[in-house]
Amino acid sequence: MAEQVTDATFESVVLNSDIPVLLDFSAPWCGPCRAIGPVIDELAGEYEGKVRIVKMNVDENPLTPTKYGIRAIPTLILFKGGEVLEQMTGAVAKPALQDLIVKKALA
Amino acid sequence: MSVFDSVIIGGGPAGITAALYLVRSGCRVALFEQLTMGGQVLQTESIENYPGFPKGIKGWELADTLAAHLDDLSLERATGKISSIVQKDDVYVLSVEGKEVIAKTVILCSGAHHRELGLPREKELTGHGVSYCAICDGNFFRGQEVAVIGGGNTALEETLYLSKIAAKVHLIHRRDAFRGAKIYLDRLESMTDRVSILRSSVPVMLHGDAEVEGLTISSVKTGESRLLPVKGVFVFVGNTPNTAFLPKNVQLDEQGFVITDTEMRTSVPGIFAAGDVRSKQCRQVVTAVGDGATAAQAAFLYLEQKNV
């Protein structure tokens, strides 16, 4: 299962992480978010220790989505050393996410 | 390697129904879905026209309810994308995430995905004001002015949904007449304070660098253009079928949808199609489940004849 991040824990979990972080901005009522939810959970297990894969509920955490100009969900942002490396919007299938992780996060 | 009686591609209403019928008939079935079961139903806020739910049902709820039919059945279910289908003697060899799967029949229920407007910078601005899903992104435009592009049922339903959130919704349609249901149009026409309906108009330019700050539309009758100060542009201009993995000998219509007969048989014996991927007039959940059952029955008869 992918860990839930909040506005309060965002800095310590995402920005100050010593490994790359893939953050899924989502909400429980959003269909495409539900569609990729299980894939995000699977990836969190597969890349444990190499890439931290986490989710943020945009309903309960308004500050971080605003800071990153999120206007659509699901939006996935890949962070490395606190910087935004890549951003993707929509229900992306697993191979595309694995590709992103291998080519960008682990490169 | 074991051979499946049938491989079903796609876990939307058509695929779920086809699987349900084939497993109950005693067939060995594998079902592949790229994401979570439900398909495009998951992107729909509420469904009012699926019989059995007179008060309507949330899209995700219907998706979960349909998928629950498979819970106690014996079939292979996997997350995966099909990249090719090759006929080898009497069977089909499907390539799924680098692995091979062999089946006697294939049922295409791969659905369709939203079509884009084709405007410059549409891709860059997707997720920054350009959206293809009102229930996902509507909330980010609370109290703001937005545009909806399209003239079918989806465009009308999403305009109704957005009218509860946005300060103002401009519904832009290239024709005078709408294809969507009159019941929706009547509701929209009565909301003159919050919904403006712009007929015979087409979007021509998206404005804004990092985010959408406006949309220029042009009248197809007079050529006159006009700038709408919208922060969001919601696009519902039809669907493109998901057929990239299909063998060349499966016949498609001019729009790329799979041609079948009334029994859901494609031009290739042993390959069937059901749901939105199929060439037809009425693309609804209720027709998708009907297609799924019909395709399953046709596949079952095909298998029986082969086994004689």
Side-chain angles (χ1 to χ4, degrees):
Chain A
M1 284 291 283
E3 179 196 342
Q4 289 283 344
V5 200
T6 65
D7 280 340
T9 60
F10 175 74
E11 192 174 336
S12 63
V13 174
V14 178
L15 296 184
N16 298 337
S17 169
D18 46 7
I19 55 172
V21 182
L22 184 65
L23 171 57
D24 170 23
F25 290 94
S26 53
W29 40 262
C30 147
C33 303
R34 293 176 77 95
I36 61 163
V39 172
I40 300 292
D41 288 336
E42 279 174 32
L43 290 170
E46 286 168 26
Y47 292 96
E48 200 180 344
K50 293 179 194 142
V51 179
R52 184 169 289 145
I53 298 171
V54 295
K55 298 181 188 181
M56 180 179 275
N57 181 332
V58 300
D59 270 355
E60 293 163 2
N61 302 285
L63 300 179
T64 313
T66 308
K67 184 177 166 195
Y68 288 92
I70 304 297
R71 309 216 85 187
I73 49 173
T75 288
L76 295 144
I77 298 186
L78 178 64
F79 291 90
K80 210 170 179 176
E83 302 286 323
V84 175
L85 210 61
E86 193 78 39
Q87 185 165 338
M88 278 177 150
T89 294
V92 184
K94 195 174 177 182
L97 292 175
Q98 283 168 322
D99 209 47
L100 172 77
I101 291 168
V102 171
K103 289 193 181 144
K104 296 274 181 165
L106 301 176
Chain B
M1 189 186 280
S2 66
V3 177
F4 288 101
D5 290 319
S6 197
V7 163
I8 297 167
I9 304 172
I16 292 170
T17 311
L20 168 66
Y21 273 72
L22 280 168
V23 175
R24 287 169 65 99
S25 302
C27 293
R28 288 202 62 226
V29 175
L31 176 92
F32 292 95
E33 164 58 46
Q34 286 189 62
L35 299 161
T36 299
M37 304 290 273
Q40 293 174 87
V41 176
L42 281 170
Q43 303 213 16
T44 311
E45 203 241 341
S46 117
I47 294 168
E48 295 180 8
N49 55 8
Y50 188 69
F53 300 93
K55 294 192 170 16
I57 182 166
K58 297 280 174 205
W60 63 265
E61 229 176 336
L62 182 58
D64 286 1
T65 309
L66 289 169
H69 275 278
L70 302 182
D71 286 351
D72 297 326
L73 297 180
S74 165
L75 79 158
E76 294 274 327
R77 283 163 67 170
T79 306
K81 185 177 179 174
I82 311 292
S83 46
S84 70
I85 304 174
V86 178
Q87 187 164 11
K88 258 189 198 154
D89 305 322
D90 249 12
V91 296
Y92 293 98
V93 181
L94 293 88
S95 163
V96 189
E97 315 280 339
K99 292 192 197 99
E100 282 193 343
V101 176
I102 301 173
K104 293 179 193 166
T105 64
V106 177
I107 304 187
L108 309 167
C109 306
S110 47
H113 63 278
H114 62 76
R115 197 182 290 156
E116 292 167 5
L117 289 173
L119 291 182
R121 307 196 51 252
E122 183 175 354
K123 275 213 167 62
E124 289 100 304
L125 289 168
T126 298
H128 303 282
V130 174
S131 170
Y132 306 88
C133 179
I135 55 160
C136 312
D137 309 334
N139 248 319
F140 296 105
F141 301 88
R142 190 165 286 279
Q144 299 177 3
E145 218 168 309
V146 301
V148 171
I149 323 288
N153 261 334
T154 308
L156 300 184
E157 283 165 16
E158 307 294 296
T159 304
L160 276 171
Y161 175 76
L162 287 167
S163 70
K164 294 173 208 150
I165 300 170
K168 181 153 198 176
V169 187
H170 302 273
L171 172 60
I172 297 150
H173 183 37
R174 67 196 156 110
R175 298 186 206 282
D176 265 338
F178 283 85
R179 272 176 294 118
K182 185 171 181 299
I183 186 168
Y184 294 136
L185 192 62
D186 288 348
R187 268 187 242 170
L188 290 171
E189 280 176 333
S190 71
M191 304 166 94
T192 44
D193 52 331
R194 273 173 300 153
V195 176
S196 92
I197 302 178
L198 303 163
R199 296 163 201 263
S200 300
S201 300
V202 288
V204 288
M205 195 197 280
L206 290 159
H207 303 273
D209 291 327
E211 290 192 340
V212 170
E213 279 158 21
L215 173 74
T216 299
I217 60 165
S218 163
S219 160
V220 293
K221 288 190 173 155
T222 63
E224 210 175 306
S225 60
R226 179 177 160 192
L227 174 67
L228 301 173
V230 293
K231 299 280 187 204
V233 177
F234 291 83
V235 182
F236 306 105
V237 292
N239 287 319
T240 303
N242 301 322
T243 55
F245 56 88
L246 284 187
K248 294 271 177 290
N249 53 346
V250 174
Q251 220 174 13
L252 308 176
D253 70 11
E254 310 89 74
Q255 272 106 43
F257 291 91
V258 178
I259 296 173
T260 69
D261 63 9
T262 54
E263 302 305 317
M264 311 299 142
R265 293 181 285 225
T266 70
S267 57
V268 179
I271 301 186
F272 304 81
D276 279 8
V277 76
R278 194 167 80 83
S279 179
K280 59 177 178 179
Q281 288 292 326
C282 181
R283 292 199 173 83
Q284 293 285 299
V285 182
V286 70
T287 60
V289 299
D291 285 3
T294 308
Q297 186 62 19
F300 181 71
L301 291 175
Y302 173 88
L303 288 164
E304 280 215 309
Q305 281 159 9
K306 284 240 141 183
N307 288 339
V308 168

